[in-house]
Amino acid sequence: MPLEIRPSQALRLWRQVHLDLVRDGESDLSARQTAILLTIYLELPPHTVRGLAAQLGVTKPVITRALDSMGKLGLVTRRRDETDRRNVVIQRTVAGALAVERLADCVVERAREIGAT
Amino acid sequence: MPLEIRPSQALRLWRQVHLDLVRDGESDLSARQTAILLTIYLELPPHTVRGLAAQLGVTKPVITRALDSMGKLGLVTRRRDETDRRNVVIQRTVAGALAVERLADCVVERAREIGAT
DNA sequence: CGGTAATGATACGGGTCCGTAACGATCGGG
DNA sequence: CCCGATCGTTACGGACCCGTATCATTACCG
């Protein structure tokens, strides 16, 4: 069954979740970083810099820098692929999984509230 | 009726819309700018710098700068309040309304696709 | 081996945003 | 009328991010 949502509901949901993100101030992730983080945690591994760059339609340095900053936040980790040492495998972390889960809960909760149209 | 959505669906929706925003590259709005824009277009006018700052829990310069950049994109306009010339009233624009509508359509469309869980 | 291709990281110049602090303009009460 | 309070803006120093171009490392193939 399709997930039905009207435009006005979509906008209120989008606004409310963004308000939560801004107010908590914890994430500080740009749209690109958010897309990268969720791709890592939703799509099947392994993830590489090149693969992420292709999926997002951005250049490789964008991915490298995003991984740098998200790594500093403990949201992801990098490791050399021993079978092909040119590759770098991006790995998930507990902190990253928790952050993703928190985001999901926020969206779910705000969607529930919006039901009272 | 409440808007029911499961955490895994919420995450896929969040990711997919962010992917769209990144790939189109047209918006380039930060989380704060998005929250400001949607507040202006969803909440009842009049909107002031101070009011927006209070709602978002940020400082006034953040609002001023966001209005500068969004104004440059044609998404909002400012005008002096003639009854109290200290105030500045933030006004909507056609381009801004279209951008908000486009975002809503994107969310609605991606939500519909996610139904096939 | 040697040379080419591919991967991820880095250097650089430019732009944007942040928070604090200060500023000019305007209102309003004593 | 003047002085404090309020409003939005600007200045400043620092941090982050972007895209292009380049680099070092590693793999592969003749």
Side-chain angles (χ1 to χ4, degrees), chain A residues 6-17 114 116-117, chain B residues 42:
Chain A
R6 284 172 302 167
S8 69
Q9 293 177 321
L11 288 177
R12 280 192 293 154
L13 174 63
W14 209 253
R15 172 175 112 92
Q16 197 58 58
V17 176
I114 282 179
T117 308
Chain B
L42 293 181

Side-chain angles (χ1 to χ4, degrees), chain B residues 24-25 29 31 42 49 55 61 74 77 101 115:
Chain B
D24 294 5
L29 295 184
L42 293 181
V49 172
Q55 277 194 62
T77 313
E101 192 178 328

Side-chain angles (χ1 to χ4, degrees), chain A residues 15 19 23 39 43 55, chain B residues 15 23 39 43 55-56:
Chain A
R15 172 175 112 92
L19 278 178
R23 282 201 268 244
T39 297
E43 296 294 309
Q55 276 194 61
Chain B
R15 171 174 112 93
R23 283 202 267 245
T39 297
E43 297 293 309
Q55 277 194 62
L56 296 214

Side-chain angles (χ1 to χ4, degrees), chain A residues 6-115:
Chain A
R6 284 172 302 167
S8 69
Q9 293 177 321
L11 288 177
R12 280 192 293 154
L13 174 63
W14 209 253
R15 172 175 112 92
Q16 197 58 58
V17 176
H18 276 271
L19 278 178
D20 291 345
L21 293 179
V22 169
R23 282 201 268 244
D24 295 5
E26 55 177 307
S27 62
D28 245 15
L29 296 183
S30 68
R32 290 177 169 192
Q33 290 173 330
T34 302
I36 293 171
L37 185 70
L38 290 182
T39 297
I40 293 171
Y41 279 84
L42 294 181
E43 296 294 309
L44 276 180
H47 296 289
T48 65
V49 172
R50 173 158 187 81
L52 290 174
Q55 276 194 61
L56 298 212
V58 298
T59 59
K60 287 188 292 179
V62 169
I63 305 296
T64 294
R65 283 186 295 253
L67 293 178
D68 286 344
S69 52
M70 292 196 293
K72 218 175 296 181
L73 296 174
L75 301 177
V76 296
T77 312
R78 272 181 284 196
R79 206 183 51 182
R80 281 266 158 219
D81 178 358
E82 291 304 332
T83 75
D84 184 342
R85 295 187 49 77
R86 286 175 304 181
N87 289 345
V88 162
V89 181
I90 293 110
Q91 298 178 299
R92 305 171 184 171
T93 66
V94 175
L98 282 177
V100 170
E101 193 178 327
R102 215 159 33 232
L103 170 63
D105 290 343
C106 176
V107 175
V108 169
E109 169 65 15
R110 291 309 190 177
R112 233 172 38 77
E113 293 174 8
I114 282 179

